[in-house]
Amino acid sequence: MGMRPPTGLPSLSRRSRVLLVTALVIAALLLIGPRLTDAYTNWLWFGEVGFKRVYATVLLTRILLFLVVAVVVGAIIWLALLVAYRSRPVFVPVAGPNDPIARYRTTVMGRLRLFGIGIPAVVGLLSGLVAQSSWVTIQLFLHGGAFGVKDPQFHLDVGFYAFDLPFYKMLLNWLFVAVVIAFFANLVAHYVFGGLRLSGREGNLTRPARIQLAIIAGIFVLLKAIAYWFDRYSLLSSTREEPTFTGGSYTDINAVLPAKLILMSIAIICAIAFFAGIVLRDLRVPAMAAALLVLSSILVGAVWPLIVEQFEVRPNAATKESAYIERNIDATRKAYGLNDVQYVDYKNSENKSPSADMSQADQQTIKNIRLLDPNLLTQTFIQRQQLQNFYGFPDPLDIDRYTINGDVQDYIVAARELVPQNLSGNQTNWINKHTVYTHGDGFVASPANRVNVAPPRETQQAASAAAGGNNSSGGYGYPTFNVGDQSTVSDLLTPKDKQAIKVDQPRIYFGEMIAKSDADYAIVGGNNQPPREYDTPTEQYSYTGRGGVPIGNWFNRLAFAAKYAERNILFSGAIGSDSKIIFNRNPRDRVQQVAPWLTADGNAYPAVVEGRIQWIVDAYTTLDNYPYAQRTSLDGVVADSIDQNTGRMLPRKEVSYIRNSVKATVDAYDGTVTLYEVDKNDPVLKAWEGVFPNAVKPESAISPDLRAHFRYPEDLFKVQREMLAKYHVNDPREFFTNNAFWSVPSDPTSDTPTNANQPPYYVLIGDQKSGKAQFKLTSAMVGYKRQFLSAYISVSSDPENYGKFTVLQLPTESQTPGPQQVQTSMTTDARVSNERTTLTGGNTNKIKYGNLLTLPIGQGGILYVEPWYLERNAGPNTASFPQLVRVLASYGDKVGYQPTLGDALNDVSDGLGAAATQQPGQAASSPPAQSVNPPQQTNPGTTPSTPVTPPPTGSAGKDAAVRQLNDALKGVQDAQKSGDLGQLGKALEGLQKAIDDYNKAGG
């Protein structure tokens, strides 16, 4: 029976064709247009920051990888279809007039190019689009080198696992994809063209079909044999024994590894059997080979390891896994940079008072105890240093150290940034939002161990009147913004000779808060018009920095108008030949974009370096397949109680190797991004320096002033402390039992109900050898599933000892209270619990716990210090900000609770507070800067619960003390009703004195 003539596709009218073509063009523009626009504007942006070579290298690598994979995969599929078509039978029987295969065959024959080229092209393009994202694997393979460390099993350099093995596995994966699709394409083609018949008594394969399918299947099995070979190396990153450890276990090495070799041999034999199908007419040999391969993969590859695991390893796991746990310990320490940790036995053998024979180091520690908590004071900074409604500060604030008047002191620091979300009313129209309100103003710092005190009332009123009723330095219990007679606020309103931290250019065009907007761009340049950018209440400004992309020509204006879908960019008269657009203003994002091969830290912090405000961003090189190293999820170990409240950006990646090899700076005025090498021994960084030569400046380019502001990064420290919790253990058997493990304590001061980790804290601690204060990042560690303190981890940020870890190990038999226990003992102390009701005034105010600092002092002692803040329970439209009111301290079994740090320390040990009475930069004639009193009660009608009156006695001294106590209590109540903050503070001090006198009188 003859075949039907091709029916073809229905014809379209000319109008229909025009409409169809127009629709396709519009759809293509909608799909491709935004990508082309982004590509062009990104090219301009990379030119602005001087990293065009990075963009070009990444783009070229992606394009080449796309083309190679698309061509190879498409060509293999095309070849499979071509040989099937060329070897089709000359005559193909038709099963009848309704034979569906005949209709398909007719359609295909009528559109041979569409099907023969279109299908491979589509599959190839899709494969290329997926593959281009693996550009990192290609570049590391081409430029990776040696680590100088060999794995303990195959004795290959770690560089093979880091740089080569991922490439080989990627190559095999794409060959598998191509061969599998080619097999089914060839099979379907033979079916359509009659080379494969499934119906009738003569259902069989033609010889060409049998040969082609056998060859493709044989190639697949041969590739599987090669994959078995490389699977052996992947065993060194096995997760079979997680969460105990990562890496090849006893079962992996003694059962799975031999199984891989056996399966590889069987796969080679099976491949030969498939190739034998070329000459053998009997398909039973390849079929038996396929069955053998499947059966052996189940029995040898799965069942046998399971038997070994259940009956040999599990009953003797501690012994069997000992050698492999030892490998894991060694590799993990190397991968996470924990090889040179200094462990110190920390034991209070003499049980001396910390104030007895206080060392110089202890004096420095106490002198620099931080009272200000950067995680609570954002609203306080806003209230006292905002200046205008459109300025703001990040949450949380940051900590850094500066040397002023010869004293090293840690400061709470922040940049006063523009916050687009704060704009309101007419400020939000396009001209104002993008051409007037363009930048922030100033660097704000506050000494971390000081707060303002209450001056005499008449002095306070005079100062307030002199400041127009808005005295930013008035009040008490608040951060102070001066050192001596110099201001620690550096902005356009503060004369440079009055600035303690001198800034040449205080304007901030790039920052964390500026970028928190749907469209974070600003358009600068005067277009020969007067300056329009808001600078001060009396002056405007025109940007003169080198940052920004020129948009003086119409093509660039059109590109950015399309990018932001904003027609004003095209038609606004505020844009002229000298105009530039500033965008991508978040420092962290700028670093991540110019160095996509790095993982940026979740927090950027501002520092004044050589007179300019610079954002410093830590950046990491990472690997996810370091052999035998423990794998961890960054966002899991980095998250703590602070992140739950602030929504800070967390790096989301699983790693088994991490190094802080790069420090990046972003100029707050012109956006200049500079990458500095800080670990020249990192093989991963060396590989990337080969990919992007000259993108990272050598360590010698780091100025001493910049290096002085480098902090050890918190995110990396959190990862390392999580590793140290387990990997401080040397004995594999002890490691297996978990008995010697530590845990990160949950934050006892957190308001959230979850047991989030306590964050690490930057503190200035006295060095026991030199007696000088060192800026360190620290964390307390408790026993595994216990609350007693087990260790104290610290790492130095000072240039001379940067990155040096010290671990104070407490005796295992000691029961030194941990943070949770200390918090409980302090808050349940009789004085604290009794006064809490007075401070809060019922529900008028609320207590906010500051960071609980853990400080080693004395001979094996641990001092805890926690500031207490009081915050008004304000309504939705009322500003509320914390104010320091009390300081708690704990040492041993004693609790200190006083308005001042010195008095609180004296409570736990007589004379301990002496070092805290004179703070750096404080004039000798001024009152102690850390003295604080509670704030006013915001509701004058609120009366605190009536305290219990001490019983009178027959003694005249006791009677006088009772009268004094009653008078003091009445004074507190009157002060609360009056609403006078200073009066209330003095009344509470008088109450404390009355209580002390009553106790001395024998009450």
Side-chain angles (χ1 to χ4, degrees), residues 519-549:
D520 69 336
Y521 63 90
I523 295 176
V524 297
N527 192 22
N528 299 318
Q529 298 176 5
R532 67 165 49 88
E533 298 179 57
Y534 178 87
D535 216 29
T536 68
T538 58
E539 295 180 357
Q540 282 71 45
Y541 179 73
S542 285
Y543 182 71
T544 59
R546 59 182 179 180
V549 173

Side-chain angles (χ1 to χ4, degrees), residues 655-727:
V655 302
S656 62
Y657 172 95
I658 187 169
R659 287 288 188 277
N660 177 213
S661 299
V662 174
K663 298 277 189 180
T665 62
V666 178
D667 191 283
Y669 180 70
D670 61 28
T672 301
V673 181
T674 310
L675 308 178
Y676 295 99
E677 174 191 63
V678 291
D679 186 353
K680 60 184 178 182
N681 297 318
D682 179 16
V684 183
L685 178 60
K686 290 180 181 178
W688 286 119
E689 287 176 333
V691 179
F692 305 109
N694 303 320
V696 181
K697 291 190 175 183
E699 192 170 5
S700 58
I702 301 174
S703 67
D705 194 11
L706 174 59
R707 189 181 292 276
H709 291 285
F710 283 167
R711 306 185 317 188
Y712 198 84
E714 286 184 79
D715 285 353
L716 177 60
F717 181 79
K718 292 175 188 177
V719 173
Q720 290 174 316
R721 75 173 176 180
E722 194 74 26
M723 292 297 130
L724 279 174
K726 296 171 60 176
Y727 290 93

Side-chain angles (χ1 to χ4, degrees), residues 55-135:
Y55 185 70
T57 301
V58 174
L59 185 62
L60 183 61
T61 306
R62 286 178 178 269
I63 292 174
L64 289 177
L65 186 55
F66 165 80
L67 292 175
V68 169
V69 172
V71 169
V72 170
V73 173
I76 292 174
I77 297 171
W78 172 80
L79 184 62
L81 290 172
L82 178 66
V83 295
Y85 174 74
R86 290 279 180 89
S87 60
R88 70 191 184 282
V90 176
F91 175 77
V92 182
V94 178
N98 296 322
D99 185 359
I101 301 302
R103 292 200 299 271
Y104 293 143
R105 186 182 306 120
T106 302
T107 303
V108 171
M109 292 296 292
R111 296 288 186 271
L112 277 178
R113 289 188 177 180
L114 177 63
F115 289 98
I117 298 177
I119 291 176
V122 170
V123 175
L125 289 174
L126 292 175
S127 300
L129 287 173
V130 175
Q132 56 86 27
S133 62
S134 300
W135 68 272

Side-chain angles (χ1 to χ4, degrees), residues 276-435:
I278 298 173
V279 295
L280 296 176
R281 301 177 67 89
D282 193 351
L283 292 178
R284 287 179 295 181
V285 173
M288 292 173 61
L292 174 63
L293 185 62
V294 173
L295 183 63
S296 60
S297 63
I298 295 174
L299 295 178
V300 179
V303 176
W304 169 244
L306 183 62
I307 292 173
V308 172
E309 177 76 14
Q310 293 296 327
F311 297 101
E312 186 175 356
V313 177
R314 291 292 174 86
N316 310 285
T319 302
K320 294 292 185 180
E321 302 291 9
S322 180
Y324 306 101
I325 291 176
E326 190 170 0
R327 292 178 177 184
N328 173 251
I329 293 173
D330 180 65
T332 301
R333 289 176 178 175
K334 290 176 181 176
Y336 290 92
L338 299 174
N339 269 350
D340 299 323
V341 176
Q342 180 183 6
Y343 294 92
V344 177
D345 290 332
Y346 195 66
K347 185 176 181 180
N348 190 353
S349 56
E350 300 182 21
N351 198 26
K352 284 187 176 181
S353 169
S355 56
D357 300 327
M358 189 185 302
S359 67
Q360 180 66 25
D362 291 340
Q363 292 181 32
Q364 287 293 328
T365 299
I366 294 171
K367 173 183 176 182
N368 291 291
I369 289 176
R370 178 158 51 82
L371 293 176
L372 300 184
D373 185 350
N375 305 305
L376 297 179
L377 293 177
T378 295
Q379 289 302 319
T380 305
F381 265 53
I382 291 173
Q383 180 69 22
R384 305 179 73 77
Q385 289 294 334
Q386 185 181 28
L387 297 184
Q388 300 291 344
N389 71 293
F390 43 81
Y391 291 142
F393 298 96
D395 186 16
L397 304 172
D398 288 297
I399 299 177
D400 199 1
R401 70 284 197 197
Y402 288 85
T403 301
I404 299 176
N405 298 332
D407 288 317
V408 178
Q409 173 63 53
D410 51 349
Y411 288 80
I412 309 299
V413 298
R416 186 191 290 130
E417 298 185 54
L418 174 75
V419 184
Q421 295 90 331
N422 289 353
L423 297 172
S424 61
N426 196 46
Q427 294 172 334
T428 60
N429 71 45
W430 187 85
I431 286 290
N432 285 334
K433 185 174 182 180
H434 296 290
T435 68

